[in-house]
């Protein structure tokens, strides 16, 4: 990942870098790899995430229609 620093503005460059890392999912991946996750726990977590995504998608679809 590369961020150019303009006019010695380190604060702005750090904000851009943080946003890029967030978009790439680096922070989320680091959090997940902090400890070992058993395969059964991983399946359960992924299944829960899929359910939440489906519910969110259904809510958005319902809002658009009605």
């Amino acid at each position: 990942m590369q961020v150019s620093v303009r006019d010695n503005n380190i604060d702005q460059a750090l904000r851009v870098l943080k946003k890029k890392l967030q978009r790439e999912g680096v922070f989320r991946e680091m959090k997940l790899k902090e400890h070992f996750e058993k395969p059964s726990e991983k399946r359960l977590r992924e299944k829960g995430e899929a359910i939440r995504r489906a519910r969110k998608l259904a809510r958005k679809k319902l809002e658009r229609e009605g």
Side-chain angles (χ1 to χ4, degrees):
M1 187 125 347
Q2 190 172 2
V3 176
S4 60
V5 180
R6 290 177 272 173
D7 303 327
N8 288 331
N9 194 348
I10 303 291
D11 293 329
Q12 189 261 349
L14 284 173
R15 276 197 306 273
V16 171
L17 177 65
K18 188 175 179 182
K19 190 176 280 190
K20 282 186 178 184
L21 291 172
Q22 187 79 33
R23 220 177 287 132
E24 292 291 321
V26 174
F27 293 125
R28 185 171 191 267
E29 189 175 329
M30 283 177 12
K31 184 179 176 185
L32 287 173
K33 292 189 177 198
E34 281 180 355
H35 63 280
F36 178 73
E37 185 176 31
K38 291 182 356 184
S40 60
E41 292 173 345
K42 183 178 178 181
R43 277 193 303 274
L44 193 63
R45 177 181 52 79
E46 288 176 348
K47 188 176 181 181
E49 288 174 357
I51 290 171
R52 281 191 291 279
R53 271 195 312 272
R55 284 182 182 159
K56 186 176 181 179
L57 192 67
R59 265 197 318 268
K60 284 189 175 189
K61 186 178 179 184
L62 195 69
E63 286 176 0
R64 276 187 266 138
E65 291 175 353

